[in-house]
Amino acid sequence: MNVEERKELLKLTLEILFSPLKEPLILGTAIGILVGGIAMIAGITYFKKWTWLYKNYFTSVDHKKIGIMYIFVALIMLFKGGIEALLMRAQTAVPQNKILDSNHYNEIFTTHGVLMILFVAMPFVIGLMNVAIPLQIGARDVAFPRLNLLSFWLFLVGCALLNISFIIGGSPNAGWTSYFPLAGIEFSPGIQNNYYAWSLQIAGIGTLATGINFVTTIIKMRAPGMTWMKIPMFTWSCLITNVIITFAFPVLTVALVLMTLDRQFGTKFFAMTDGGMDMLWANLFWVWGHPEVYIVILPAFGIFSEVIATFSRKNLFGYGSMVASMVIISLLSFMVWAHHFYTMGHGVLVNGVFSVTTMLIAVPTGVKMFNWLLTMRHGRITFTTPMLYALGFIPIFTIGGVTGVMLAMASADYQYHNTLFLVAHFHYVLIPGTVFGLLAGYHYWWPKMFNFRLNEKIGKVGFWMIVVGFNVTFFPMFILGLNGAARRMYTYSESTGYAPLQMLSFIGALVLVAGFASLVYNIYYSIRYAPRETNGDPWDARSLEWATHSPVPEYNFAIVPQVSQLDEFWYAKKEGRDLHAGKIEDIHMPNNSGAPLWMSVVMGLLTFFFIFNQFMIVIPLAVITLLFMAYRSFEIDEGHHIHAHEVEETERRMRGDR
């Protein structure tokens, strides 16, 4: 295929743009999105909230508000990803089902994987980082506030591109790993996988900026006296996570650039001819992809550490070994990538090396398990909703870990790899290891964000529905996989005998969806009926984020606390010390800015038209993007001061003084 034929193929026409809408299912979804969007816009307009949203959220560089926006988007994407999962379970619930054809099934399991990893887990993690980390280390903000806002909007642009593809042009359909040659132009000639390359690229740039931002923040902006071994465990886990981001995401960036060159400019990096190598993509993808697993799991481990210590009323057992185990995990995470393709032609020696490193990574993870259990030993445990998620994580994640060791054996993996056994394994790792952690943090830090707790009864009912629904959904897949049921298959014959367990899995998925729906209902119920907290420490917690008011004022702390030991806030409470004693002075804070929002809008349009090879539109948009960068480079913005009397007035008001 020559260049002219390629351009003709990818030409922006109404036929290519709106061909997905010929399908009733997609047309109905598009109508639903349109109606929902119009209703939301109408509601915001009716209540006259556009100016308020623009000033207080869209252009705010306050890390707490940016975190809330990340979490809000993550919850919406969790809903969409859950619907996709339910459609896949419905399709395979009975033999020879006709709900989805093969192409739609491929599109849905592709976007489901991408959404859940990159547009649910990642923004949820980064959202909680934004909310908690500066508070935990006693900082007033992150190191680069405006870059933090730009990171969010770039992430949102990538998210929007992936979701637009479902309606305009067609969703990516080569799997969430997008393996070549299937993802190449010869086998996927439409524009679907261009969406994949560009949505991940733009969102990935935002994530890389976040990694650099938080590494700098944690290293340079800790409160006086907070040495390395006095840092809260969640902050430690996020520091290591952001170091991984800084090293791993450039690999994804390079891989996606090469993918774009292959698909849109006719190069042969990942081709099977002309000197190309399709396995190069698999290596580059998993050099990023396996550390990515720990990017979303390590912060959850940090959350479990905070929650278990708080609700056991004890110091975290083995603090030093917990830190060391996370460092070891981060190093090993870059040394196991080839276990994702044992079956693709490596020799015995290579497979053996990666088998050993894969098994080794279970050791520091096991250390953390024992530390959590020993923290709870002789503790005065309070069974709150966050604690239930932490407790539920331990046995379920252990099943995922044990099956991971099974898959680490290369010879056994030849049998397991392309079956539902593998699907069950990684869900038993990622859902308890990431989603349970994020939901624990979501319930735990909710009162810090909004000054009221989510309803505990509804939260506990939701927890049990999620636990039961999860196990009923995915445990049958272990059995199905051992019986030979292949993954990525949209249908099967009745003679296989898979139908009863597939139907059981679908029933479990319905329960799981009901559990996640309870999270949404809990927000509604709690906003209406939950009592507002009278202090900033509703859990009797241990770390510094609970030493300030709820919701947190713009400046975080009227006086930056002095730290002399781990869990400084806990010991200050017990000893009757005031962490905020001292003279209140003027506080310097950064100004809000609309530039990150509008620059991201321009970059979103640029990438959309690039996907369709419309370079006459792309070039001026690229120039505008460069002008935004130049403007920022020469802009003089010295921020603003919150004067001491304003801080004192805010403190009196938030304490309830008259």
Side-chain angles (χ1 to χ4, degrees), residues 108-130:
I108 285 174
F109 87 68
T110 297
T111 55
H112 170 74
V114 174
L115 274 177
M116 294 306 248
I117 294 293
L118 288 165
F119 299 110
V120 175
M122 285 296 294
F124 219 139
V125 164
I126 294 172
L128 293 177
M129 281 184 195
N130 269 283

Side-chain angles (χ1 to χ4, degrees), residues 140 554-555 585-591 637-647:
R140 299 208 188 279
E554 178 189 358
Y555 49 79
E585 299 177 345
D586 290 359
I587 297 173
H588 179 263
M589 297 299 293
N591 288 328
D637 183 356
E638 297 179 351
H640 66 280
H641 284 86
I642 304 175
H643 297 295
H645 67 88
E646 296 175 292
V647 176

